[in-house]
Amino acid sequence: MSHGYSPAWRKLTIVILRPLLFALLKRDWRGRGNVPREGGVIIAANHISEADPLALAHFVYEAGRYPVYLAKSTLFDVPFIRAVLRGTGQIPVYRDRADAALALKDAERALLDGECLMFYPEGSCTRDPELWPMTGQTGAARLALTTGAKVVPVANWGAHELMPYKKGARTGLAGRLKKGFHPFPRKTMKVIAGPPVDLSRYEGRPLTRETLRAATDDIMEAIAGLLGELRGEEPPAERYDHHRVLEERRRAAAGPAFEPKVTGTARPGTGETEAAGS
């Protein structure tokens, strides 16, 4: 079975959203030539706002590709939204499935069919108080190594000013942002795409946890470097680990008898206090 969509639905979204985005947002776009114009490709991006999917979709479309997102399966339960998502070929992700590889089968099929797959390796909007990328989840790396699709790293900056993430940290830059939707004055969406991440050293290896973790770290390092270029700052040497923060919080609440089974570290001194979700 191939990845299906309706050309009419895709054209309708372009007719409606493209002029709207041109009117609403200013643009600082770089590196569109790094997005392949054909063939299956993974766009791996940082996630700073619930508004950045549209900004990234606009960038990718103007680079010559129609963006396909992995959307929460619950969105497909709403009749009209389901019609739009199915019609444009968006892919449901069933987060309650125990087998992550099984949950990504539809995404794998789409890549083999030549789609441009938009992927947020962090899994949710960043909880880093300074809005740097967090540690990534391994789905993008798994898909790339399974299908041979290129991973193009992309960083975006500016969407947090348009619509700060409502569950963001209460400290740092995130804590200074005023919650809500702020279209005026017009915000500039900065987006940059880098060359594909070189994952050749992992080709042919068994997809062990260590291999997927190392490949994911390479992807996140490329994204963080691009974001540093947009911001004119040096990315932190150690990425924020939200899962570790939550485990440490549970450990503190449970007392000394609690022993967390986690690896990695949260970046020290962040003071992040928000609960998980997205």
PDB file of all heavy atoms in Angstrom, residues 105-123:
ATOM      1  N   LYS A 105       5.739   2.927  10.975  1.00  0.00           N
ATOM      2  CA  LYS A 105       5.618   2.217   9.708  1.00  0.00           C
ATOM      3  C   LYS A 105       5.014   3.093   8.614  1.00  0.00           C
ATOM      4  O   LYS A 105       5.446   3.056   7.454  1.00  0.00           O
ATOM      5  CB  LYS A 105       4.794   0.937   9.888  1.00  0.00           C
ATOM      6  CG  LYS A 105       5.582  -0.234  10.439  1.00  0.00           C
ATOM      7  CD  LYS A 105       6.716  -0.628   9.506  1.00  0.00           C
ATOM      8  CE  LYS A 105       7.495  -1.811  10.040  1.00  0.00           C
ATOM      9  NZ  LYS A 105       8.653  -2.131   9.155  1.00  0.00           N
ATOM     10  N   ASP A 106       3.986   3.869   8.954  1.00  0.00           N
ATOM     11  CA  ASP A 106       3.382   4.750   7.957  1.00  0.00           C
ATOM     12  C   ASP A 106       4.378   5.803   7.477  1.00  0.00           C
ATOM     13  O   ASP A 106       4.410   6.168   6.296  1.00  0.00           O
ATOM     14  CB  ASP A 106       2.139   5.432   8.525  1.00  0.00           C
ATOM     15  CG  ASP A 106       0.975   4.471   8.702  1.00  0.00           C
ATOM     16  OD1 ASP A 106       1.014   3.390   8.073  1.00  0.00           O
ATOM     17  OD2 ASP A 106       0.044   4.790   9.449  1.00  0.00           O
ATOM     18  N   ALA A 107       5.195   6.292   8.402  1.00  0.00           N
ATOM     19  CA  ALA A 107       6.213   7.275   8.035  1.00  0.00           C
ATOM     20  C   ALA A 107       7.257   6.646   7.120  1.00  0.00           C
ATOM     21  O   ALA A 107       7.716   7.272   6.148  1.00  0.00           O
ATOM     22  CB  ALA A 107       6.877   7.828   9.288  1.00  0.00           C
ATOM     23  N   GLU A 108       7.636   5.427   7.402  1.00  0.00           N
ATOM     24  CA  GLU A 108       8.597   4.724   6.561  1.00  0.00           C
ATOM     25  C   GLU A 108       8.049   4.542   5.143  1.00  0.00           C
ATOM     26  O   GLU A 108       8.751   4.764   4.151  1.00  0.00           O
ATOM     27  CB  GLU A 108       8.913   3.361   7.185  1.00  0.00           C
ATOM     28  CG  GLU A 108       9.924   2.541   6.400  1.00  0.00           C
ATOM     29  CD  GLU A 108      10.218   1.212   7.074  1.00  0.00           C
ATOM     30  OE1 GLU A 108      10.164   1.147   8.315  1.00  0.00           O
ATOM     31  OE2 GLU A 108      10.503   0.231   6.350  1.00  0.00           O
ATOM     32  N   ARG A 109       6.769   4.185   5.047  1.00  0.00           N
ATOM     33  CA  ARG A 109       6.147   4.006   3.741  1.00  0.00           C
ATOM     34  C   ARG A 109       6.130   5.324   2.961  1.00  0.00           C
ATOM     35  O   ARG A 109       6.401   5.365   1.763  1.00  0.00           O
ATOM     36  CB  ARG A 109       4.723   3.481   3.918  1.00  0.00           C
ATOM     37  CG  ARG A 109       3.993   3.191   2.600  1.00  0.00           C
ATOM     38  CD  ARG A 109       2.580   2.689   2.837  1.00  0.00           C
ATOM     39  NE  ARG A 109       2.579   1.484   3.646  1.00  0.00           N
ATOM     40  CZ  ARG A 109       2.064   1.388   4.863  1.00  0.00           C
ATOM     41  NH1 ARG A 109       1.508   2.444   5.420  1.00  0.00           N
ATOM     42  NH2 ARG A 109       2.096   0.252   5.516  1.00  0.00           N
ATOM     43  N   ALA A 110       5.847   6.424   3.656  1.00  0.00           N
ATOM     44  CA  ALA A 110       5.814   7.734   3.005  1.00  0.00           C
ATOM     45  C   ALA A 110       7.185   8.112   2.461  1.00  0.00           C
ATOM     46  O   ALA A 110       7.304   8.641   1.350  1.00  0.00           O
ATOM     47  CB  ALA A 110       5.318   8.793   3.985  1.00  0.00           C
ATOM     48  N   LEU A 111       8.229   7.833   3.221  1.00  0.00           N
ATOM     49  CA  LEU A 111       9.580   8.141   2.746  1.00  0.00           C
ATOM     50  C   LEU A 111       9.931   7.320   1.520  1.00  0.00           C
ATOM     51  O   LEU A 111      10.512   7.834   0.550  1.00  0.00           O
ATOM     52  CB  LEU A 111      10.595   7.872   3.860  1.00  0.00           C
ATOM     53  CG  LEU A 111      10.661   8.902   4.981  1.00  0.00           C
ATOM     54  CD1 LEU A 111      11.579   8.405   6.090  1.00  0.00           C
ATOM     55  CD2 LEU A 111      11.156  10.244   4.455  1.00  0.00           C
ATOM     56  N   LEU A 112       9.581   6.047   1.534  1.00  0.00           N
ATOM     57  CA  LEU A 112       9.860   5.184   0.385  1.00  0.00           C
ATOM     58  C   LEU A 112       9.072   5.628  -0.838  1.00  0.00           C
ATOM     59  O   LEU A 112       9.489   5.386  -1.975  1.00  0.00           O
ATOM     60  CB  LEU A 112       9.545   3.730   0.743  1.00  0.00           C
ATOM     61  CG  LEU A 112      10.444   3.109   1.828  1.00  0.00           C
ATOM     62  CD1 LEU A 112       9.947   1.718   2.198  1.00  0.00           C
ATOM     63  CD2 LEU A 112      11.892   3.047   1.353  1.00  0.00           C
ATOM     64  N   ASP A 113       7.946   6.321  -0.604  1.00  0.00           N
ATOM     65  CA  ASP A 113       7.146   6.855  -1.704  1.00  0.00           C
ATOM     66  C   ASP A 113       7.617   8.237  -2.150  1.00  0.00           C
ATOM     67  O   ASP A 113       7.000   8.862  -3.009  1.00  0.00           O
ATOM     68  CB  ASP A 113       5.664   6.923  -1.302  1.00  0.00           C
ATOM     69  CG  ASP A 113       4.999   5.554  -1.304  1.00  0.00           C
ATOM     70  OD1 ASP A 113       5.609   4.609  -1.848  1.00  0.00           O
ATOM     71  OD2 ASP A 113       3.890   5.426  -0.762  1.00  0.00           O
ATOM     72  N   GLY A 114       8.703   8.722  -1.525  1.00  0.00           N
ATOM     73  CA  GLY A 114       9.285   9.973  -1.977  1.00  0.00           C
ATOM     74  C   GLY A 114       8.778  11.232  -1.309  1.00  0.00           C
ATOM     75  O   GLY A 114       8.981  12.336  -1.826  1.00  0.00           O
ATOM     76  N   GLU A 115       8.131  11.108  -0.135  1.00  0.00           N
ATOM     77  CA  GLU A 115       7.581  12.278   0.538  1.00  0.00           C
ATOM     78  C   GLU A 115       8.670  13.042   1.314  1.00  0.00           C
ATOM     79  O   GLU A 115       9.734  12.509   1.639  1.00  0.00           O
ATOM     80  CB  GLU A 115       6.472  11.880   1.503  1.00  0.00           C
ATOM     81  CG  GLU A 115       5.240  11.303   0.830  1.00  0.00           C
ATOM     82  CD  GLU A 115       4.369  12.372   0.174  1.00  0.00           C
ATOM     83  OE1 GLU A 115       4.807  13.536   0.084  1.00  0.00           O
ATOM     84  OE2 GLU A 115       3.248  12.032  -0.239  1.00  0.00           O
ATOM     85  N   CYS A 116       8.351  14.311   1.616  1.00  0.00           N
ATOM     86  CA  CYS A 116       9.199  15.169   2.450  1.00  0.00           C
ATOM     87  C   CYS A 116       8.604  15.159   3.852  1.00  0.00           C
ATOM     88  O   CYS A 116       7.573  15.784   4.102  1.00  0.00           O
ATOM     89  CB  CYS A 116       9.244  16.585   1.874  1.00  0.00           C
ATOM     90  SG  CYS A 116      10.201  17.747   2.861  1.00  0.00           S
ATOM     91  N   LEU A 117       9.240  14.445   4.760  1.00  0.00           N
ATOM     92  CA  LEU A 117       8.692  14.205   6.090  1.00  0.00           C
ATOM     93  C   LEU A 117       9.267  15.192   7.099  1.00  0.00           C
ATOM     94  O   LEU A 117      10.482  15.285   7.287  1.00  0.00           O
ATOM     95  CB  LEU A 117       9.013  12.778   6.523  1.00  0.00           C
ATOM     96  CG  LEU A 117       8.358  12.265   7.795  1.00  0.00           C
ATOM     97  CD1 LEU A 117       6.852  12.269   7.666  1.00  0.00           C
ATOM     98  CD2 LEU A 117       8.862  10.861   8.110  1.00  0.00           C
ATOM     99  N   MET A 118       8.377  15.946   7.747  1.00  0.00           N
ATOM    100  CA  MET A 118       8.770  16.921   8.749  1.00  0.00           C
ATOM    101  C   MET A 118       8.839  16.236  10.118  1.00  0.00           C
ATOM    102  O   MET A 118       7.865  15.600  10.540  1.00  0.00           O
ATOM    103  CB  MET A 118       7.764  18.066   8.791  1.00  0.00           C
ATOM    104  CG  MET A 118       7.447  18.679   7.438  1.00  0.00           C
ATOM    105  SD  MET A 118       8.848  19.545   6.712  1.00  0.00           S
ATOM    106  CE  MET A 118       8.913  20.984   7.777  1.00  0.00           C
ATOM    107  N   PHE A 119       9.961  16.378  10.787  1.00  0.00           N
ATOM    108  CA  PHE A 119      10.172  15.611  12.009  1.00  0.00           C
ATOM    109  C   PHE A 119      10.747  16.508  13.092  1.00  0.00           C
ATOM    110  O   PHE A 119      11.680  17.263  12.863  1.00  0.00           O
ATOM    111  CB  PHE A 119      11.154  14.471  11.722  1.00  0.00           C
ATOM    112  CG  PHE A 119      10.896  13.230  12.515  1.00  0.00           C
ATOM    113  CD1 PHE A 119      10.206  12.167  11.964  1.00  0.00           C
ATOM    114  CD2 PHE A 119      11.357  13.112  13.814  1.00  0.00           C
ATOM    115  CE1 PHE A 119       9.962  11.011  12.684  1.00  0.00           C
ATOM    116  CE2 PHE A 119      11.125  11.972  14.549  1.00  0.00           C
ATOM    117  CZ  PHE A 119      10.429  10.920  13.987  1.00  0.00           C
ATOM    118  N   TYR A 120      10.169  16.410  14.290  1.00  0.00           N
ATOM    119  CA  TYR A 120      10.693  17.095  15.468  1.00  0.00           C
ATOM    120  C   TYR A 120      11.344  16.052  16.372  1.00  0.00           C
ATOM    121  O   TYR A 120      10.661  15.393  17.160  1.00  0.00           O
ATOM    122  CB  TYR A 120       9.572  17.794  16.229  1.00  0.00           C
ATOM    123  CG  TYR A 120       9.020  19.029  15.570  1.00  0.00           C
ATOM    124  CD1 TYR A 120       7.681  19.083  15.162  1.00  0.00           C
ATOM    125  CD2 TYR A 120       9.819  20.140  15.353  1.00  0.00           C
ATOM    126  CE1 TYR A 120       7.169  20.229  14.569  1.00  0.00           C
ATOM    127  CE2 TYR A 120       9.318  21.280  14.748  1.00  0.00           C
ATOM    128  CZ  TYR A 120       7.989  21.317  14.361  1.00  0.00           C
ATOM    129  OH  TYR A 120       7.494  22.450  13.779  1.00  0.00           O
ATOM    130  N   PRO A 121      12.663  15.869  16.286  1.00  0.00           N
ATOM    131  CA  PRO A 121      13.301  14.815  17.083  1.00  0.00           C
ATOM    132  C   PRO A 121      13.124  14.985  18.583  1.00  0.00           C
ATOM    133  O   PRO A 121      13.192  13.999  19.321  1.00  0.00           O
ATOM    134  CB  PRO A 121      14.781  14.938  16.688  1.00  0.00           C
ATOM    135  CG  PRO A 121      14.778  15.600  15.353  1.00  0.00           C
ATOM    136  CD  PRO A 121      13.619  16.540  15.384  1.00  0.00           C
ATOM    137  N   GLU A 122      12.912  16.219  19.063  1.00  0.00           N
ATOM    138  CA  GLU A 122      12.737  16.420  20.500  1.00  0.00           C
ATOM    139  C   GLU A 122      11.441  15.799  21.014  1.00  0.00           C
ATOM    140  O   GLU A 122      11.303  15.534  22.201  1.00  0.00           O
ATOM    141  CB  GLU A 122      12.740  17.911  20.825  1.00  0.00           C
ATOM    142  CG  GLU A 122      14.059  18.598  20.543  1.00  0.00           C
ATOM    143  CD  GLU A 122      13.914  20.102  20.534  1.00  0.00           C
ATOM    144  OE1 GLU A 122      13.567  20.663  19.470  1.00  0.00           O
ATOM    145  OE2 GLU A 122      14.148  20.718  21.589  1.00  0.00           O
ATOM    146  N   GLY A 123      10.465  15.610  20.126  1.00  0.00           N
ATOM    147  CA  GLY A 123       9.200  15.000  20.527  1.00  0.00           C
ATOM    148  C   GLY A 123       8.167  15.988  21.014  1.00  0.00           C
ATOM    149  O   GLY A 123       6.975  15.672  21.055  1.00  0.00           O
TER     150      GLY A 123
END
